[in-house]
Amino acid sequence: MGLSPARARAIADNQFGSSSPGTWYVGLSTSDPSDDGTNFVEPIGGSYARVAVTNNVTNWPASSTGSGVTLKSNGAKITYPNPTGNWGEIRAYGIFTASSGGTPEYFNKLDSPITAQSGNSPVEFDVGQLQMQFGV
């Protein structure tokens, strides 16, 4: 089934930047998630926690379409606390409706894995770095 670029943008902007849910929680995975979001394995301990991101247009600005692909990106930097233990090799991120538990609603593999260990700088995603595709 096809999806027009306008409909893909409407879906993306309805999910991100609309205030429902009021908060998205961005988690990290040390595994490659399966197509249905299972096998999303988060670090345990070492000060790891999902980062709460208010669902508004500042944090999730309007989506855009180019070359037939609709993208939605983060509009503010997302920063985790400094690891106080080894989190392992971070391979993907996921976006959840809860601060813990469950399966990610959205997820994507990172372009390059990140090694997060005690004493390292915090894991950060700059503005526009988390990109989700809609209507592909």
Side-chain angles (χ1 to χ4, degrees), residues 30-53:
T30 58
S31 65
D32 292 331
S34 301
D35 289 342
D36 63 358
T38 58
N39 196 42
F40 192 95
V41 180
E42 294 182 88
I44 298 172
S47 300
Y48 172 78
R50 293 177 187 165
V51 173
V53 180

Side-chain angles (χ1 to χ4, degrees), residues 24-31 33 39-53 78-104 106-108 110 114-125 130:
W24 285 109
Y25 297 88
V26 182
L28 304 173
S29 180
T30 58
S31 65
N39 196 42
F40 192 95
V41 180
E42 294 182 88
I44 298 172
S47 300
Y48 172 78
R50 293 177 187 165
V51 173
V53 180
I78 297 171
T79 304
Y80 289 80
N82 283 339
T84 59
N86 293 338
W87 293 359
E89 185 179 74
I90 306 304
R91 304 183 62 76
Y93 70 87
I95 301 175
F96 298 79
T97 56
S99 61
S100 64
T103 302
Y106 299 93
F107 56 91
N108 206 355
L110 299 176
I114 300 167
T115 300
Q117 54 191 348
S118 183
N120 279 9
S121 299
V123 174
E124 293 183 322
F125 296 105
L130 296 187

Side-chain angles (χ1 to χ4, degrees), residues 123-135:
V123 174
E124 293 183 322
F125 296 105
D126 288 328
V127 171
Q129 194 171 6
L130 296 187
Q131 295 189 342
M132 296 165 280
Q133 294 185 15
F134 287 81

Side-chain angles (χ1 to χ4, degrees), residues 4-18 56-57 59-66 69-75 130-135:
S4 74
R7 176 54 48 204
R9 286 191 303 275
I11 291 169
D13 293 339
N14 181 56
Q15 290 291 295
F16 295 92
S18 68
N56 60 34
V57 296
N59 293 326
W60 306 105
S63 58
S64 61
T65 303
V69 176
T70 297
L71 295 177
K72 186 72 169 191
S73 302
N74 57 309
L130 296 187
Q131 295 189 342
M132 296 165 280
Q133 294 185 15
F134 287 81

